[in-house]
Amino acid sequence: MRSRPGVVRRSVVRASVARRSVAVLIAAVVTACVSCGNSSAAPDPIPRIATVTYERSAGPLDDSTNGERVQNDPRRIAELVELLGRYDTLDTPARPDSTVACVWATLTTVRYVTVDGAAHELRATSCDPTPFEADLGALVGAWLTDPPR
């Protein structure tokens, strides 16, 4: 029995289309898997915070706010979580080089541990602060002037 040329050609075309479809599907799956680890993917939510300690150097006014303190107020911890979410960070973002020379700046440090045990540190200076540093300094300043009751 002889095969007809048209039948063979259709079979070859169908097989070629099927191979291209499989190749496109594999490429889509690989692309999806590669983008899973991509840093431009949606950020992970800020994890729950277990403990927070903070301190601030005396600064130019020596306002007696220096020394490490513990923050236990859930409302205040929620403010920190909101700040971290707003800047999409868990640690202090990289600071651009500054040309401002400060004689005496206030340094704010916040250390926190998440419920999974990961430790993080946030630092902010009042000398030519970045927006994150300004907001972190203001947050800790509010904690210092209005301590938990």
Side-chain angles (χ1 to χ4, degrees):
M1 190 173 180
R2 295 181 60 189
S3 63
R4 296 179 296 178
V7 174
V8 172
R9 181 180 301 259
R10 275 185 246 144
S11 297
V12 170
V13 169
R14 285 185 191 138
S16 176
V17 169
R19 279 192 299 271
R20 275 187 268 156
S21 297
V22 169
V24 168
L25 179 62
I26 290 172
V29 170
V30 168
T31 302
C33 289
V34 168
S35 67
C36 293
N38 189 349
S39 62
S40 65
D44 293 333
I46 303 301
R48 291 190 11 222
I49 294 177
T51 63
V52 176
T53 58
Y54 61 99
E55 62 184 304
R56 178 187 248 172
S57 65
L61 301 178
D62 193 15
D63 55 2
S64 300
T65 58
N66 57 333
E68 188 172 274
R69 294 179 167 85
V70 175
Q71 183 58 265
N72 293 321
D73 184 349
R75 179 177 56 94
R76 297 297 177 138
I77 294 173
E79 293 170 344
L80 177 60
V81 169
E82 189 276 326
L83 177 75
L84 296 174
R86 189 170 357 129
Y87 286 95
D88 188 26
T89 188
L90 297 176
D91 297 290
T92 305
R95 184 172 181 20
D97 291 335
S98 174
T99 57
V100 176
C102 292
V103 175
W104 192 352
T106 302
L107 178 63
T108 302
T109 305
V110 175
R111 293 175 192 87
Y112 69 94
V113 178
T114 58
V115 294
D116 64 357
H120 300 274
E121 182 174 278
L122 307 167
R123 300 189 75 140
T125 180
S126 62
C127 181
D128 192 24
T130 64
F132 174 81
E133 291 174 325
D135 287 350
L136 182 65
L139 176 66
V140 170
W143 291 357
L144 291 164
T145 58
D146 183 25
R149 299 169 219 316

